[in-house]
Amino acid sequence: MKDVKVAIVGAGPAGLGCAVLLKQMGIATDDMVVCESNKIGSSFTAWPKEMRMITPSFPSNGYHQTDLNAITPDTSPAFSLGKEHPSGKEYAHYLRSVAEHYDVSVLESTKVTEVKQQNKDCFLLQIESGEIIKTRYLIWAGGEFSSPRLNTFRGSDLCLHNSQVKSWDDCEAEDYVVIGSYESGVDAAFNLASRGKYVTLLNTGHDKQETYDPSRVLSPYTAERLSAMANTNLVELQQGFQVDEVRVAENVYELLSTTGDKLTCSGKPINCTGFDAHLGAVSGLFDRTENGFPVVNQFDESTLYPKLFLSGPKLVHGDILLCFIYKFRGRFIAPCSVIAADLGLDISILNDYEQAGMMLSNFSCCETQQCYC
Ligand SMILES: Cc1cc2nc3c(=O)[nH]c(=O)nc-3n(C[C@H](O)[C@H](O)[C@H](O)COP(=O)(O)OP(=O)(O)OC[C@H]3O[C@@H](n4cnc5c(N)ncnc54)[C@H](O)[C@@H]3O)c2cc1C
């Protein structure tokens, strides 16, 4: 049995961000392990080939304004990749370079299938291969890409979830319906229309929100692409069509709405309804909010199981989503500070995180979002 002080599950930006910070605080290599079921950054390598980061990268670190896609204050995907909107494959390359540079040891092909608390001082991680890892602290950073929403409505299985698309070149039909018009829905519509396909883009709900919080409204990158599509006759935006059922007859897909409206298309409908809040092996170890989000304390620690932390896009504090794109980077400090205090690590590096805007401890900036011009 491997016995460590800290185990991190997931080698995406959230898991690696915490791992690097602990390394910078001086944790010994043998005291920490990162378990990754696939390869470093595998959610990004699974993106459709054409998908790009929506957050722009810029090498602004020189004046304490970190590249928005960076996971440490002193690295920049814009600088190392020479791209403003890296592809998933490129971003995974950046993540691997960061892990190598900081000598973070990642156990790839190591899937954690079960987590149990042995006693209040340790967790046991069951690995798919049969191994067991014993750890005092556990940071769950398993992401959401492995739990796409595949059962949102009847007949969901007839659709293609956007996380299952390898390249939009593989979509050969003439016309498609894209369900969901947030980031991935607009991305799907844009890529299909760029290939000359007719697309009906379903907006299933909300009106424009008076905020510029990127966790709640379309990013400028996506909004710009949406307005570019308005000048073509290939994309039709349909408001308020809540899909109730999808069925197929004679190679035509029928979409029925909750109010009885009907749409048809010849290509498999593209499901862009997002991802579940499923937390894999630690699902039962967190209390849940009414909306199904895991409940954490001020250190992003489970309120049911102390020393179990959450890092990544499912983090919420009250009404604040930490969320989806780059904001969760500001929370690497929460679990790492608690662990550092217990293990007697050097926390002076936190000054760099604070200067770089990667130390989000006061959420008032997320509460009132005002833009004066
Ligand atoms: C259209 C779109 C555009 C996006 N653009 C941006 C952007 O511009 N900027 C941005 O910051 N974010 C962007 N994101 C979001 C970004 O992809 C996620 O927020 C980010 O991947 C979350 O990081 P993570 O480390 O939590 O999860 P992941 O990157 O998914 O990493 C989790 C890792 O955990 C592993 N894992 C899962 N379960 C287990 C297990 N049981 N055992 C071992 N390993 C496990 C997985 O294999 C995976 O490698 C975008 C997402 C989409 C859909």
Side-chain angles (χ1 to χ4, degrees):
M1 188 193 296
K2 203 185 251 305
D3 192 348
V4 289
K5 293 194 171 122
V6 182
I8 297 176
V9 178
L16 287 177
C18 290
V20 169
L21 177 51
L22 286 167
K23 285 292 274 194
Q24 289 173 316
M25 289 170 159
I27 195 166
T29 302
D30 288 346
D31 283 345
M32 179 174 76
V33 74
V34 181
C35 301
E36 166 53 53
S37 58
N38 201 314
K39 297 232 178 288
I40 292 176
S42 57
S43 297
F44 291 87
T45 45
W47 275 14
K49 190 175 89 190
E50 298 82 6
M51 200 155 105
R52 298 287 178 267
M53 303 290 281
I54 50 181
T55 322
S57 265
F58 195 83
S60 38
N61 307 42
Y63 40 97
H64 294 312
Q65 294 189 5
T66 318
D67 182 322
L68 286 173
N69 293 314
I71 58 164
T72 71
D74 53 358
T75 61
S76 162
F79 180 71
S80 52
L81 300 169
K83 293 276 169 74
E84 187 175 65
H85 293 278
S87 68
K89 201 169 154 205
E90 288 163 341
Y91 193 69
H93 178 77
Y94 157 76
L95 292 177
R96 183 169 290 279
S97 319
V98 173
E100 282 170 7
H101 176 76
Y102 285 98
D103 194 22
V104 173
S105 98
V106 178
L107 301 176
E108 293 182 309
S109 306
T110 302
K111 181 170 184 176
V112 176
T113 53
E114 200 180 350
V115 173
K116 277 190 198 150
Q117 194 181 43
Q118 190 182 38
N119 54 51
K120 71 176 177 36
D121 287 324
C122 82
F123 293 97
L124 296 180
L125 276 52
Q126 177 71 56
I127 309 299
E128 196 173 42
S129 60
E131 247 184 296
I132 289 179
I133 296 175
K134 182 175 170 186
T135 184
R136 195 187 305 176
Y137 287 97
L138 173 58
I139 302 178
W140 188 266
E144 51 189 6
F145 213 71
S146 39
S147 47
R149 274 194 198 129
L150 298 177
N151 293 311
T152 329
F153 40 78
R154 285 181 290 159
S156 300
D157 54 317
L158 297 171
C159 305
L160 192 59
H161 193 277
N162 80 302
S163 64
Q164 297 165 329
V165 175
K166 297 216 166 0
S167 165
W168 296 104
D169 288 336
D170 301 336
C171 294
E172 289 174 347
E174 282 301 300
D175 60 301
Y176 288 87
V177 174
V178 172
I179 306 165
S181 60
Y182 195 37
E183 296 292 351
S184 40
V186 178
D187 185 62
F190 181 83
N191 278 293
L192 289 166
S194 309
R195 285 160 180 74
K197 314 291 180 191
Y198 290 95
V199 181
T200 306
L201 179 60
L202 302 187
N203 181 352
T204 47
H206 35 28
D207 298 329
K208 188 176 183 310
Q209 299 197 35
E210 292 305 320
T211 173
Y212 54 83
D213 178 349
S215 347
R216 298 190 189 270
V217 289
L218 284 182
S219 65
Y221 175 68
T222 308
E224 194 177 333
R225 296 205 297 167
L226 187 60
S227 50
M229 283 187 271
N231 299 326
T232 72
N233 60 353
L234 292 169
V235 180
E236 189 190 331
L237 184 63
Q238 182 133 358
Q239 302 283 1
F241 191 105
Q242 188 86 38
V243 178
D244 182 44
E245 183 177 2
V246 174
R247 50 195 192 203
V248 63
E250 294 171 13
N251 294 332
V252 174
Y253 293 88
E254 282 183 355
L255 292 90
L256 305 171
S257 80
T258 46
T259 51
D261 294 324
K262 188 163 101 178
L263 281 171
T264 58
C265 56
S266 59
K268 271 191 172 200
I270 312 291
N271 176 354
C272 295
T273 56
F275 300 87
D276 278 329
H278 182 61
L279 291 180
V282 294
S283 274
L285 306 186
F286 284 87
D287 201 1
R288 296 282 169 159
T289 65
E290 272 179 15
N291 302 335
F293 282 100
V295 179
V296 292
N297 68 12
Q298 58 176 326
F299 301 111
D300 300 348
E301 187 176 22
S302 165
T303 49
L304 301 179
Y305 291 85
K307 300 186 183 172
L308 165 62
F309 299 89
L310 184 63
S311 178
K314 286 295 176 233
L315 264 181
V316 299
H317 280 271
D319 290 340
I320 294 157
L321 301 170
L322 258 303
C323 159
F324 189 65
I325 48 172
Y326 54 86
K327 280 204 289 179
F328 64 82
R329 301 178 320 161
R331 295 298 293 173
F332 298 156
I333 47 130
C336 295
S337 309
V338 175
I339 295 169
D342 185 33
L343 303 184
L345 304 177
D346 176 3
I347 58 165
S348 54
I349 189 73
L350 291 183
N351 293 332
D352 291 7
Y353 278 71
E354 186 171 19
Q355 256 183 341
M358 289 180 68
M359 192 163 173
L360 183 60
S361 47
N362 175 345
F363 298 122
S364 58
C365 57
C366 312
E367 277 160 10
T368 321
Q369 297 251 341
Q370 287 180 320
C371 182
Y372 295 112
C373 47

